Amino acid sequence: MHHEVTLIATIAVCFVLASIFGYMADRLRLPPLVGYLVAGVMIGPFTPGIVADGALAAQLAEMGVILLMFGVGLHFSASDLLAVRGVAVPGAIGQIVLATLLGVGLASMWGWSIGAGIVLGLSLSVASTVVLLKALEERNLLNTPSGRVAVGWLIVEDLAMVLALVLLPALAEMLAGSGAGTVSEHVAEGGSSSLLLTLAITLAKVAVFAALAIFLGPKVVPWVLTKVARTGSRELFTLSVLALAVGIAYGSAEVFGVSFALGAFFAGLVLGESHLSHKAAAESLPLQDAFSVVFFVSVGMLFDPSVIVEDPIAVLGVLAVIMVGKSVIGFLIVILLRYPVSMGLMVAGSLAQIGEFSFILVGLGLSLGLIPTEGQDLILAGALLSITLNPLAFYVTGELQKWVRQRWPAVAAGYGRAHHDALVQELARIRAAQEARDEARHVRIQELVATFPLLSLVPPDDQEELLLLFRPASASPGERVIRTGDRADGMYFISSGAVEVRVGGRAIRLDAGSFFGEMALLSGSRRTADVIAVDFCEFQFLERRDFTQFMARHPELRAAVDTMARERIEANRAASAVTQENGAEAAQ
């Protein structure tokens, strides 16, 4: 079957070369993404040696796009964006518009159409969130106010590009014209009404999909994943997360006509607001990273290195727009919005590269016939060079910050201080609220363990799972909780109140912190005692199936429960023997 393993061969070559060149890039203090792109160039059709299956790699890359956008949505924080909205929203929108105009101007110099110029400008206007996060983490700047603004800025750019991915197909026919005359003729011939109708239908579909995702998604998706998480199966939970990501992306494309990227983004956005977001991110991250690597490798396969030699002026023009034009625009917008110079320089360094959305946009533009093949080569060349040079951009902006502080200390210290201080307070409030939520969950787990010391045998990472497995139950005084002869349906942990276990003619009182109902579960028999509430009781109930699976994964807890159950059985037998003996004596 060696002639039928094209898929395996493609994945193997992608992973092996990406790991090698990614490691080399890291050793050179470059983002590993550069290595992944170079790996793609090495196995592409434009370089000698191994040539991977481009069509198959492109399909795998689609999976990479889905998981990449799912990850963006999963880590998207509406509260963080709202905190920096005053600078991130107008800044990102203004920068996209101006950078797109620069792209249109550059394309017009080459004789390209308006559509090609818009696709070029949009592709050059959006920076890579992946590259930025890596750069900020390496410099310990991610949680600084300037770092949060830079991330928020790029999130707004990502959202704008998602909208562009939706609108481009609807506008493709009009944008395919080569100049203003062509567009005017199209409008004059009545194309405007059909265009508006197509645009309205497209936006209506997106609006319906977004409404379903925003209002129905938070009710359905967490409920489904909670059900799956309660099974305790890690592989089933991971599979369910991926099924939601890929299923929603594919379903949204088929039913609503939106892109895979938008569907996956909303899937991540919905899941990101649930209490299972951290678990979902941790379980899906390996596959997300793996397919994202394949995506970048497949992009590198499309790049023709000869464009650097054949048209170096055009490559330099693209690079100038990315690293100079965008950075200057971003810096000036921040300053005009009256934020500190240091923040403006941080944003400038962050914008001096392009990445994943640029590749998605140019691929869409190419499929719609809006941009020539050389445009894709120029954008890929600009991405490779700008990502490689991005550390240099951060170094330059850092030196400029030092220079401004030395030359104009009053300006560096005072300009934009009011806006900066307000932003710091807002970010601190959001961080405190997040920490409070995390602390509340941690306290709840601690209270659970404190109430039931037996659960301290469970590893800390698995204690939170009990919060999903336990179901609350209650009983009033005199209410029978368990009846002799019933089938064992689960195990009860007493959170508050007290019960009496009536067995063998005697009553045993169990108070808060105790548990009951385990013996029938362990033996597989029916209930052998009555349990009656003697106070207002609150229970944590563990169903039979959950009990069996959880105990199987935690043998130390199972052993402790077994030991306590045996002690209770022996105590019951001894009590029963005493009762019978007393009864015999009384009969005599």
Side-chain angles (χ1 to χ4, degrees):
M1 294 181 62
H2 63 279
H3 59 284
E4 298 178 357
V5 293
T6 308
L7 174 62
I8 297 175
T10 302
I11 293 177
V13 171
C14 287
F15 283 172
V16 170
L17 289 182
S19 62
I20 293 173
F21 285 100
Y23 176 77
M24 293 172 61
D26 184 75
R27 298 299 295 173
L28 294 172
R29 297 187 179 278
L30 297 174
L33 190 149
V34 175
Y36 308 152
L37 293 171
V38 172
V41 174
M42 297 299 292
I43 59 175
F46 304 105
T47 54
I50 300 174
V51 177
D53 189 323
L56 192 56
Q59 292 187 40
L60 293 172
E62 286 287 356
M63 181 65 73
V65 171
I66 290 173
L67 294 177
L68 191 66
M69 290 306 303
F70 177 71
V72 172
L74 196 60
H75 294 96
F76 178 80
S77 173
S79 58
D80 280 354
L81 180 59
L82 289 175
V84 300
R85 64 187 182 279
V87 58
V89 174
I93 294 174
Q95 179 257 312
I96 288 173
V97 171
L98 294 176
T100 301
L101 291 177
L102 288 179
V104 171
L106 198 61
S108 65
M109 293 172 56
W110 300 334
W112 291 4
S113 68
I114 291 178
I118 290 176
V119 173
L120 175 68
L122 287 173
S123 300
L124 299 182
S125 69
V126 57
S128 169
T129 307
V130 175
V131 174
L132 173 64
L133 290 175
K134 178 68 173 176
L136 294 179
E137 286 173 354
E138 289 178 348
R139 294 165 176 79
N140 295 320
L141 296 172
L142 185 57
N143 291 319
T144 63
S146 295
R148 304 310 292 176
V149 166
V151 173
W153 190 298
L154 263 64
I155 287 175
V156 176
E157 286 189 352
D158 289 346
L159 292 174
M161 292 307 110
V162 168
L163 181 61
L165 291 174
V166 173
L167 296 180
L168 270 181
L171 299 172
E173 184 180 353
M174 185 188 78
L175 294 178
S178 60
T182 305
V183 175
S184 299
E185 290 172 7
H186 180 79
V187 174
E189 291 171 2
S192 177
S193 59
S194 63
L195 172 63
L196 291 175
L197 179 61
T198 302
L199 191 58
I201 293 174
T202 301
L203 291 176
K205 287 182 177 180
V206 174
V208 172
F209 170 69
L212 289 174
I214 292 172
F215 296 107
L216 186 62
K219 296 180 176 62
V220 176
V221 172
W223 179 81
V224 170
L225 283 184
T226 300
K227 291 290 186 183
V228 175
R230 293 184 71 251
T231 66
S233 174
R234 180 177 178 180
E235 62 272 16
L236 184 59
F237 183 83
T238 303
L239 179 63
S240 299
V241 170
L242 295 176
L244 285 170
V246 179
I248 292 177
Y250 180 77
S252 62
E254 289 294 315
V255 177
F256 298 99
V258 302
S259 65
F260 287 142
L262 182 63
F265 173 79
F266 271 104
L269 187 65
V270 169
L271 185 54
E273 296 298 326
S274 76
H275 63 285
L276 293 169
S277 59
H278 295 295
K279 184 177 177 66
E283 298 297 339
S284 63
L285 186 60
L287 272 177
Q288 179 186 327
D289 288 342
F291 278 100
S292 296
V293 167
V294 176
F295 168 65
F296 289 115
V297 172
S298 69
V299 169
M301 292 173 63
L302 301 174
F303 175 56
D304 184 359
S306 63
V307 70
I308 298 177
V309 178
E310 294 175 356
D311 203 352
I313 301 300
V315 172
L316 288 175
V318 168
L319 192 62
V321 171
I322 297 171
M323 299 200 68
V324 179
K326 284 171 54 183
S327 297
V328 171
I329 290 171
F331 173 78
L332 293 177
I333 289 176
V334 172
I335 296 302
L336 289 174
L337 292 173
R338 301 192 65 79
Y339 281 86
V341 174
S342 59
M343 184 179 293
L345 291 172
M346 169 70 77
V347 170
S350 303
L351 296 175
Q353 40 85 14
I354 59 174
E356 55 273 7
F357 261 116
S358 304
F359 307 146
I360 298 171
L361 277 167
V362 73
L364 178 62
L366 199 64
S367 66
L368 295 173
L370 292 176
I371 192 168
T373 305
E374 56 265 31
Q376 177 177 257
D377 293 333
L378 289 172
I379 290 171
L380 292 176
L384 277 166
L385 294 173
S386 64
I387 292 172
T388 303
L389 295 173
N390 192 241
L392 177 62
F394 270 99
Y395 172 79
V396 171
T397 55
E399 292 299 312
L400 285 175
Q401 287 187 41
K402 296 177 183 177
W403 182 74
V404 169
R405 282 197 297 266
Q406 293 174 356
R407 183 71 180 270
W408 297 294
V411 173
Y415 185 82
R417 179 55 54 185
H419 287 76
H420 178 270
D421 291 344
L423 178 60
V424 169
Q425 292 177 4
E426 180 66 13
L427 289 173
R429 185 189 63 79
I430 293 173
R431 191 175 298 112
Q434 179 62 44
E435 290 175 354
R437 287 193 295 269
D438 294 340
E439 181 64 22
R441 186 169 62 250
H442 181 65
V443 167
R444 188 180 174 193
I445 294 173
Q446 287 182 323
E447 290 176 347
L448 188 69
V449 175
T451 305
F452 309 109
L454 180 71
L455 300 181
S456 62
L457 296 173
V458 179
D461 292 341
D462 293 336
Q463 289 172 355
E464 188 170 359
E465 184 180 342
L466 288 170
L467 298 179
L468 296 175
L469 296 177
F470 279 147
R471 291 186 176 181
S474 61
S476 301
E479 184 177 343
R480 194 181 301 270
V481 183
I482 288 178
R483 185 185 303 273
T484 302
D486 286 349
R487 290 184 177 275
D489 57 345
M491 177 181 180
Y492 292 82
F493 292 80
I494 308 173
S495 299
S496 63
V499 300
E500 279 188 353
V501 180
R502 298 178 181 177
V503 57
R506 69 193 186 103
I508 304 172
R509 182 183 175 93
L510 298 178
D511 295 307
S514 302
F515 58 87
F516 59 91
E518 80 287 353
M519 288 190 288
L521 292 176
L522 293 171
S523 63
S525 60
R526 291 181 178 269
R527 301 293 191 185
T528 59
D530 290 332
V531 178
I532 300 174
V534 295
D535 196 354
F536 289 100
C537 297
E538 296 292 335
F539 305 115
Q540 295 293 340
F541 179 65
L542 191 62
E543 288 186 349
R544 180 190 188 105
R545 181 170 178 268
D546 296 333
F547 171 85
T548 302
Q549 292 183 344
F550 194 77
M551 293 299 174
R553 293 198 306 275
H554 301 285
E556 66 285 351
L557 182 61
R558 172 66 182 254
V561 173
D562 278 338
T563 299
M564 298 183 73
R566 284 196 299 270
E567 291 174 353
R568 286 183 177 181
I569 291 174
E570 292 299 326
N572 291 339
R573 285 175 179 171
S576 179
V578 170
T579 300
Q580 291 176 1
E581 194 175 307
N582 292 337
E585 291 177 357
Q588 292 176 0

